[in-house]
Amino acid sequence: MFFQTNILTVTVLSYMLIKFIPAIGWLRNYPREHLSGDLNAGVTVGIMLIPQGLAYALIAGLPPIYGLYAALVPVLIYALFGTSGQLAVGPVAMVSLLVATGVSDFAPSGSAEYIQMAILLAFLVGLIQFLLGILRFGFITNFLSHPVLSGFTSAAALVIGLNQLKHLVGLPIPRSGGVFEILKYVAVHVAQIQIPTLVIGLAGIAIILILRRLTPRFPGALIAVIVATLAVWTMELEGVGVAIVGSVPVGLPVPSISFFSVNAIRELLPIALAISLVGFMESIAVAKAFASKNRTTINPSQELTALGLANMAGSLFHSYPTTGGFSRSAVNDQAGAKTPLASLVSAGIVGLTLLFLTPLFHFLPKALLASIVMVAVVGLVDVREIRFLWRSNRSDLALLALTFVSTLVLGIEKGILIGVASSVLTFIYQASRPHMARLGRIDGSDVYRNIERYSEAHIDRGIAIFRIDASLFFGNVEFVRDALSDFLDSNDTTKVLILDLYPVNRIDSSAQHAMFDLHRKLSDGNVHLLLSGVKGPVRDAFENSGLSTLLGEDAFFLRIDDANQRALAIAGSYLDDGPAEDNSAS
Amino acid sequence: MFFQTNILTVTVLSYMLIKFIPAIGWLRNYPREHLSGDLNAGVTVGIMLIPQGLAYALIAGLPPIYGLYAALVPVLIYALFGTSGQLAVGPVAMVSLLVATGVSDFAPSGSAEYIQMAILLAFLVGLIQFLLGILRFGFITNFLSHPVLSGFTSAAALVIGLNQLKHLVGLPIPRSGGVFEILKYVAVHVAQIQIPTLVIGLAGIAIILILRRLTPRFPGALIAVIVATLAVWTMELEGVGVAIVGSVPVGLPVPSISFFSVNAIRELLPIALAISLVGFMESIAVAKAFASKNRTTINPSQELTALGLANMAGSLFHSYPTTGGFSRSAVNDQAGAKTPLASLVSAGIVGLTLLFLTPLFHFLPKALLASIVMVAVVGLVDVREIRFLWRSNRSDLALLALTFVSTLVLGIEKGILIGVASSVLTFIYQASRPHMARLGRIDGSDVYRNIERYSEAHIDRGIAIFRIDASLFFGNVEFVRDALSDFLDSNDTTKVLILDLYPVNRIDSSAQHAMFDLHRKLSDGNVHLLLSGVKGPVRDAFENSGLSTLLGEDAFFLRIDDANQRALAIAGSYLDDGPAEDNSAS
């Protein structure tokens, strides 16, 4: 007995452990046939991460090395705790932009303080995501609508791309959220554009695009990096004003918590919240897409936990906020990734690079990093969605346009706020209108159907039967109460109201109050209330609140037809004998 | 023809005018039998408004006269634009407290700047409410749950009451959000309590409570005001340290826009938003309750517009934010109010008081105003709801407790934020789980019912029929998609999936994307997708998005049984002949 309990405990504990650290599960039963795919994908993504990391660090306003730090520890930690075999975590363009937007209000770009705040931001984002994850709040992303996300992403992509223009043309364009200011600056200073820088940038874009078209899985960005670095080195282009990355530190990041500052936390909290949600949205969308494609499943709350741990652990090793990226995950999937082992391999490649290869980046021109970013963000501009909505849903297109324009004109932060606000309003509007149907009896049967649908459904005189097709809670019960009230006000011959509550699985206290209100209104008007199909949990709630006692045990019926038989008897007594006061509900 | 069009135009215009200014409607057809009730109620509430106004101004940290200003113009304007015959608009305790909390961060209580900001706040609150109203956003209050509101109200009542303690005991307790600090201060300074002040305060409470018990509709507070003023005047209690109201200006408020300040708007916007919503919530709850009792209806969006206009117009005449109050509306209703004429009469009484009677308030002790407030707020502590939830719904009770405790401990503003956040999370959680049912055929019929409910419902081999009982939108479609995916993953013998979309009235673009995803997943697994009962608007959406073309015209059926006949043919071909590749969906 004791032994059995122990076995049970061990089983439960190991189940919980695997649930929390999925890596234990897939490593223990690792299928040999996945190995070659995982290795191939891991190496491919690892090679992709190096130029991407350097480039995205530029977007975030950080020295390039921080992009590599962000591609190391978070990638390792996600591999242990994540549930997606294809998701490639690391620095991504959108989150990098949000970091730049959020931190540059408080410290000059690239300064020591700026770097500390970006790392603190990773810790905060991680903590928020981790807490939401263990509280099983994976569902919160449900409230952001697709058009809003699409509009925001497209606008952010344009902002990111245009903010890289300064590196591509070699002009000291001041950092700005305003797209038009950047274009104006370039137009005014067009004579000062550095031709060698521009040539490198454009050549970089051309190389990446051509190689991508020819061999999609070939590391085009890496080839461009090598060519550009060699060009600058051999032709000494640094001397004609081409900005280079310069000396990059060698070695793995050393753990540190020096970034911690209570004052800064208060300032960074709003942007940390925004990054937590936007980052998770991006990641979960990608993870779901590839899980569906590979016929596996992911667990949204565990994904939140894993991203949270990746960001928190990353912050201890100089990483800024990271998440799962779309293009990298697509490459991961195409290259054959089946388990997070691929991510472990990618992190290994980045680790080796940090240990041995960083001196090679000295002559890498920043213009080339800008071209990597620009090619990447063009893919984020979602023209297909605009075309889709133009054909199928103009009001959703308006929502997309609203988010797009406000992000472009008012900046990233206000754009997110406006997008979230319009999403939430749409959500509340939709969710507060549950489906209801007035039912009638199919003649000669005990079947009751929606009278709008079945013209043969028969309505008995003095009786109204409504079915409510949603669980009732504070958000939708007002609609139900108002609809029933309006119906009763305009149908004063109704003597019995039957509510079929079979589709109602839960009922909260606000909905119970509404039932009391409804009962009071009905009593005032001498209308009887009968309920059919009330399920166990709802029945219990009615018992506890005293509603069962108020309505009387004989007001509850299993089937609509039983309730209707009773209703016919009640309504009949009114019709035959005139209003019978003693029959009215108490 | 031209003449007819003109008549039509006039009719439509006058209909719109009545819709916007309901007073035109009820004044034109004013039923004589309502007159005595309206007059009686108007006078009763007008007399009640005077001590209440003076007292609530104290809560708001304003000189007492501003409570009378708030009881004049807003009351008049609401009477013209409002739709409730019983709602008594004016200063209320909760909103007064929010004003004090919001403005005291920026200016010293009672200073000229403080007063200007409180008035500006009324303008902002009015503008927000008006805009929400004309945009028909009356539904937004649906997202605040009953337990959260109840917990917040009870805690706010305690905070209000305890903040009045300084006037009741005559101690200079510093203003504070913290309940415990106030109690501690009183305990430490108990020796300095002014006995005459305390006696007046306690006597005031006793008079009001006793008169209320004896004759509920008698203006007890006014009697207490008269008795206390006479006592202070005749016994010269001012000399022994009893704080009095002092000189109160004579005359009606003169219109002014000197309160307007762009900088202050930015600071006040968050609190203005909070007051707009809390004020509207309180008002609409009261208005709905009395409309239901009187078997009339109100229009939530028009109520928002009316409150917005009342606050905006009020601000031009020195009013701070107002809304409809519960206790005053109850008195209004009991005294016989049937139309907003009652409010016009009340405003008249306040106007006459301002013109002729303000000098009489000179010797009115502040302690008496504190006793009026304390008696009023005790009624706001909602013990019944706690008892109700204890019996019927412990998780809602936890929500109430959370809001109550955080409001009491962290203060009014954080309390609201935590309450709103927990409401929104509950809302999203509830709304993102629509009702779905797997259907089976009742043997020997063409009727399909929920297999959980009807044990006799028959499931055909290889066929799964699901009914979705909600309109599909971004907030709930993930749940549906995940549920169907999970079902298909664990039931791989399914060859045909039939979705009964009859209860689906609308479908947004996110839900369309989910349908595309589902179709892709089904195609990968060689599962056919058939749809039944697709309504017009949903069908149109499918046409426009190209989903109809993708699924094929023959995938749509009017009735479930028609779809099932087709499904039986498809599934049968698999079962008889083994998997037939050429039958798979494209």
Side-chain angles (χ1 to χ4, degrees), chain A residues 147 199 289 328 348 391 403 408 430 476 486 513 566 576-577:
Chain A
V199 168
R328 214 157 46 219
R391 284 201 318 271
T403 318
L408 223 49
Q430 293 278 5
N476 63 13
D486 289 353
H513 280 291
R566 172 89 186 108
D576 300 344
D577 319 326

Side-chain angles (χ1 to χ4, degrees), chain A residues 146 150-151 153-154 378-387 400:
Chain A
H146 200 282
S150 167
T153 308
S154 297
V378 164
L380 291 178
V381 179
D382 197 355
V383 183
R384 253 177 68 186
E385 180 71 11
I386 296 171
R387 240 183 282 135
L400 186 152

Side-chain angles (χ1 to χ4, degrees), chain A residues 288 385 396 478 509 513 544, chain B residues 288 385 396 478 509 513:
Chain A
K288 276 197 178 176
E385 180 71 11
D396 276 4
E478 290 284 296
S509 64
H513 280 291
N544 294 330
Chain B
K288 277 197 178 174
E385 180 70 12
D396 276 5
E478 290 283 296
S509 65
H513 280 290

Side-chain angles (χ1 to χ4, degrees), chain A residues 216-252:
Chain A
R217 273 171 48 195
F218 202 71
L222 191 70
I223 303 297
V225 163
I226 293 169
V227 170
T229 308
L230 286 175
V232 172
W233 184 45
T234 53
M235 294 192 266
E236 292 182 6
L237 294 179
E238 200 190 346
V240 298
V242 173
I244 58 170
V245 164
S247 68
V248 179
V250 175
L252 298 176

Side-chain angles (χ1 to χ4, degrees), chain B residues 51-71 91-93 95-104 107-122 164 166-167 175 244-249 259 275 314-315 317-322 366 369 373:
Chain B
Q52 269 196 352
L54 299 170
Y56 292 162
L58 270 196
I59 301 179
L62 293 164
I65 185 77
Y66 286 90
L68 298 185
Y69 293 158
V92 304
V95 167
S96 300
L97 174 70
L98 286 171
V99 169
T101 314
V103 179
S104 60
S109 196
S111 67
E113 200 192 344
Y114 184 97
I115 296 171
Q116 298 288 358
M117 284 184 104
I119 296 172
L120 175 59
L121 202 47
Q164 291 300 303
K166 63 179 169 199
H167 299 299
R175 226 202 96 70
I244 58 169
V245 165
S247 69
V248 179
F259 61 83
I275 294 178
S315 73
F317 293 87
H318 307 299
S319 168
Y320 73 96
T322 53
K366 287 187 174 174
L369 294 179
V373 170

